[in-house]
Amino acid sequence: MQSVEYSLFRVKFIKPSQQSLFNKDITPEELLKSGVLQRPSAELRAGYHWHIGNVQLFGESRGYFAIGRTTISSIEKFDEQSGNFVEEETEESPHTHCVFDSSIGFVGIAKKPILAQTTKGIARRLEQLLSLTDGVIQNKITVEVRPIPDPDGFLNAIMTAYKVFSFTATFRGPNPFDADEHFQRPLAVYLSAANGHKGKASINGDDLNREVLSDVARSTAATGNEASARIQRNKRQKAITVNLKGDPIKRRYDEPEHRPENVLNDLGNQYKRIRHNEAD
């Protein structure tokens, strides 16, 4: 049975440290929703025109859209009337499914190898298209579409370790409303004030507090950032480094039962599990 595989990404709209006079109060939720509704289209590579279309809303902040590209190619045909072989231009527009929740700031992108080898490649095209929308340009916003990795393996390694000696995480400009208060939120504000694009910070100790690290690790994953920790699994082993990074979390659905609104509900539960260790 054929299936549709979605990957989970965080969409971030990072405002400049010096706000534009156009609309300094515009929210990331408004930017994502209005950006999708604008249905941007652009030639992102010579001969490859990418588009957002088929937009459908499920409420004030949740919905579905398709993303794809149009190319023109030549096919060889035989013309019965002339008795000659001819070349004819034809247009192709492969596309894939996307669901989004602008109130949280995530998007689920369905795999489509004809568009890109991985969903990360499609996410980069989505990032480029959203960067061309009116609200983003007028407010000088930077758009990022980052994979949300599954933190469970990393969290298990930290929580079961004999000792945790260090913890390092990356951070980017402020945007997600539910970033943790210990690390991501204050450092993102600091980064923006310093006109930075991204940063990395580390803490060290004899044995770091696991509960604090767990909250920061979940926030780091949910905001599309990366982390690592130096741990000792037991008394007899040497310290090793474990990492939180890589591919986005994936969910697979049978093609006959594929319903975008149900997919969106499921991905929303996955996000809650990653960020808050809870689900409906």
Side-chain angles (χ1 to χ4, degrees):
M1 183 180 293
Q2 288 189 328
S3 62
V4 182
E5 182 183 271
Y6 280 79
S7 296
L8 193 57
F9 290 83
R10 166 69 85 172
V11 185
K12 295 196 276 189
F13 296 89
I14 302 169
K15 297 180 180 180
S17 55
Q18 294 185 347
Q19 293 292 324
S20 165
L21 295 178
F22 181 76
N23 187 356
K24 65 181 179 180
D25 296 322
I26 193 167
T27 65
E29 178 177 354
E30 293 168 333
L31 287 166
L32 178 53
K33 182 180 176 181
S34 65
V36 169
L37 289 173
Q38 190 177 325
R39 295 170 171 81
S41 180
E43 186 177 16
L44 302 181
R45 177 183 161 196
Y48 291 80
H49 292 79
W50 283 78
H51 325 273
I52 286 177
N54 299 47
V55 179
Q56 180 183 358
L57 295 180
F58 303 137
E60 284 299 312
S61 60
R62 305 164 77 246
Y64 165 91
F65 63 92
I67 183 172
R69 58 172 168 77
T70 298
T71 57
I72 297 175
S73 58
S74 295
I75 59 172
E76 296 177 330
K77 297 180 67 176
F78 182 73
D79 187 341
E80 295 283 354
Q81 290 185 340
S82 67
N84 295 323
F85 290 97
V86 296
E87 286 192 0
E88 206 173 87
E89 284 192 344
T90 183
E91 206 173 68
E92 292 182 321
S93 297
H95 58 278
T96 193
H97 308 287
C98 297
V99 294
F100 71 94
D101 187 329
S102 61
S103 68
I104 298 175
F106 76 72
V107 61
I109 302 175
K111 184 179 180 181
K112 189 87 167 191
I114 195 172
L115 290 176
Q117 290 185 346
T118 67
T119 50
K120 288 182 181 179
I122 301 173
R124 283 192 292 271
R125 298 308 186 190
L126 175 60
E127 182 178 279
Q128 290 175 296
L129 287 176
L130 291 174
S131 296
L132 299 173
T133 55
D134 294 342
V136 168
I137 293 172
Q138 290 163 346
N139 292 279
K140 299 179 181 178
I141 303 290
T142 299
V143 181
E144 291 185 348
V145 182
R146 303 280 304 171
I148 298 179
D150 193 332
D152 285 353
F154 182 75
L155 289 169
N156 183 65
I158 288 177
M159 300 303 287
T160 60
Y162 172 62
K163 286 187 177 181
V164 181
F165 299 114
S166 68
F167 181 90
T168 301
T170 63
F171 55 92
R172 288 173 170 80
N175 169 248
F177 70 94
D178 57 352
D180 70 278
E181 62 183 13
H182 302 292
F183 187 95
Q184 290 291 341
R185 185 176 297 162
L187 285 176
V189 172
Y190 155 68
L191 181 71
S192 177
N195 294 324
H197 297 296
K198 61 181 179 179
K200 182 166 68 173
S202 300
I203 58 172
N204 299 275
D206 294 329
D207 189 15
L208 299 174
N209 185 304
R210 317 302 170 82
E211 294 302 322
V212 172
L213 296 186
S214 175
D215 186 38
V216 174
R218 289 188 177 279
S219 176
T220 297
T223 53
N225 286 292
E226 299 174 351
S228 64
R230 191 77 175 162
I231 68 170
Q232 187 178 3
R233 293 192 186 278
N234 58 57
K235 263 187 176 183
R236 297 177 179 83
Q237 284 189 337
K238 293 182 178 180
I240 61 170
T241 300
V242 292
N243 295 284
L244 170 61
K245 63 178 181 179
D247 292 332
I249 189 169
K250 297 176 174 62
R251 298 287 285 176
R252 192 183 297 270
Y253 308 91
D254 291 338
E255 179 72 57
E257 300 172 2
H258 174 246
R259 300 288 184 275
E261 192 166 7
N262 294 339
V263 171
L264 184 55
N265 291 336
D266 184 45
L267 292 180
N269 285 333
Q270 290 300 313
Y271 179 84
K272 290 177 183 178
R273 178 184 66 79
I274 291 168
R275 179 60 189 96
H276 303 292
N277 195 27
E278 64 182 43
D280 291 342

